[in-house]
Every structure is written in C-alpha cells, then in structure tokens.
Amino acid sequence: MARDSGLIFAEQPRRRRWPLFVLAAGLVLLIAALPRLAVLLPAGVQRVDATLAARFVPRYEARLASLQAENTALHKHLAGAQIALAENDALRQWAGIERPAGRWQAARMVFRWHDHAELAGVYPVGAAVCDEQGRFAGRITEAGADRCTLTFAGYLSPAAAGFAGEQAGLLQKNWRLTGLPLPTTLAAGTVVTTADGLWLGTLAGIPAPAADGLSAEAPLTDTADLGSQVFFIKM
C-alpha cells in the first residue's frame, strides 16, 4: 500500500503477458509442422486449408470450381471445333473454295445480344470472325482492355457484301442477300462468300424480285451459328 497526502492508493496489478507468448509460440510451431502434417494427415490439412481460404478469400472454392468447369467446357468446344473445321475444309474443297490464308485465334463468348456479342481477349478492329465451322459470323467493331465486340454479319455498317458467282449483293438481317441484279441466272445452292473469301452460306432458292422491282433477293442457308460459345478470329 502507498500513502500520499493521507490518501491510500491500491497498487496496479501487473498484467500477465505469458499467454500471448505461448499463443505466438504455438502458431510458429504449427506453421513449422504443416509440411509434416500434410504427409501424415493430408485430409486434415486440406480441411484447414479450405477453412482458411473460406475465412480470408470468401467464395474461393466456389469461384475456383466455376473457373475449372468453364475451362473444361472451353476445351470441349475447342476439340469439337477442330472436327467441324476439318469437315468445313472438306466442303470447301468440294465447292472449289480455298480457305483464306492467315492465323486464326479462338475466343470465348462472354455476353451475347441480338446484334452483337462480347468476346474475351483483345483483337484488332475490323478482324473477321467465324463460328466453329469456319462460317463468317461478323467482324470486331470495338476493342477494350480485355474484351472486344463482335458485331454479327447482318448488322454490320456498312453491310457486308456477298458474292454469288459473278453477282454481288448485300447481306441483311435474318441472313438475306439483297440487291442482286435482275435478271438473275443464279441457282439454288449457289455458294455465297464475303469479299475476302469467307463462307457466308448458300442460296436457299432462286433469287426472287425484291419489293422495289429493280433487284432480286434470296435467303441463305448453311450460315454461321451465332449461338456458338467459341468463335475464331482472323489475325
């Protein structure tokens, strides 16, 4: 007890710090023992790792599983695309159309709207885009930091030109080739390509006079699959 001016003050109790030192030492020992525990108790260490991941990185396991599933699906699409591209090359040889030279890069579809889609990756504006079978789907019209915009063929401005034999027209929405000259000698099944030789489709029938009476038009078949999950971009 201490006295001061007649008042009595109680001495302050000393704080015991040894529990903190014991806890810190225990953590050090646990960290040092983790490699050995991983060999002896792999399942337990995995549970500890999952618990720590869930504590410090919320939804870590869910996001990892989602990315792994997405990566697996992409590889399946790419494997299927290789088969489809081989079949398309055989069709091109049968029709006498050569595939344009150049390097093609696969790009995953991220979002899709009725007239355009966002693709993962950055590619040059104006680059041609094909579906998994090598059919012309549109062109890159915008490029951002890590994504780019694919505008579908029928919505391009100016409209994509389609060449059927020695005649040319313009590709419109719903895969219709318009502006063909009259009279026409084109037959159903005639192959239609872009100016750079990419496959647009084939004429579904003999071109019929359009509403203006000055030109002909016809729908196309065997056109690009705009619902594809993977597209190919000409580099």
Side-chain angles (χ1 to χ4, degrees):
M1 305 294 285
R3 298 178 181 272
D4 186 12
S5 302
L7 298 178
I8 300 177
F9 296 92
E11 294 184 355
Q12 296 293 328
R14 296 182 179 178
R15 296 182 180 178
R16 297 181 178 180
R17 300 182 181 273
W18 62 266
L20 296 177
F21 291 111
V22 172
L23 179 60
L27 287 175
V28 172
L29 292 175
L30 176 62
I31 294 173
L34 279 178
R36 184 171 299 177
L37 290 175
V39 177
L40 299 177
L41 301 171
V45 173
Q46 289 178 359
R47 285 195 295 270
V48 171
D49 182 61
T51 301
L52 292 174
R55 173 65 178 82
F56 295 103
V57 186
R59 300 182 59 194
Y60 166 79
E61 289 188 324
R63 284 185 287 176
L64 179 60
S66 176
L67 288 174
Q68 290 175 337
E70 184 177 309
N71 188 51
T72 300
L74 178 59
H75 280 288
K76 289 182 179 179
H77 279 295
L78 291 176
Q82 296 302 322
I83 299 174
L85 287 173
E87 294 176 350
N88 187 262
D89 285 337
L91 179 60
R92 285 176 177 275
Q93 293 178 4
W94 174 81
I97 301 174
E98 296 183 0
R99 177 182 292 278
R103 184 169 61 89
W104 295 82
Q105 176 67 46
R108 177 176 55 85
M109 193 280 300
V110 181
F111 296 107
R112 190 193 328 271
W113 291 267
H114 73 284
D115 59 345
H116 70 283
E118 282 191 9
L119 304 181
V122 181
Y123 303 97
V125 172
V129 182
C130 292
D131 70 355
E132 294 177 329
Q133 285 72 43
R135 300 170 296 196
F136 182 70
R139 294 190 184 275
I140 300 299
T141 53
E142 293 182 18
D146 58 354
R147 294 181 183 179
C148 57
T149 300
L150 158 64
T151 298
F152 296 135
Y155 298 89
L156 288 172
S157 180
F163 292 84
E166 297 181 353
Q167 299 185 14
L170 295 176
L171 182 66
Q172 303 294 338
K173 301 174 184 178
N174 301 321
W175 296 104
R176 295 187 65 82
L177 191 64
T178 64
L180 294 170
L182 280 175
T184 179
T185 58
L186 298 175
T190 299
V191 174
V192 181
T193 65
T194 65
D196 45 357
L198 296 173
W199 184 280
L200 270 178
T202 60
L203 295 179
I206 298 174
D212 59 13
L214 302 175
S215 61
E217 61 180 15
L220 299 181
T221 60
D222 191 22
T223 57
D225 176 17
L226 301 183
S228 177
Q229 295 300 312
V230 177
F231 289 92
F232 288 83
I233 302 173
K234 185 178 180 182
M235 304 299 292

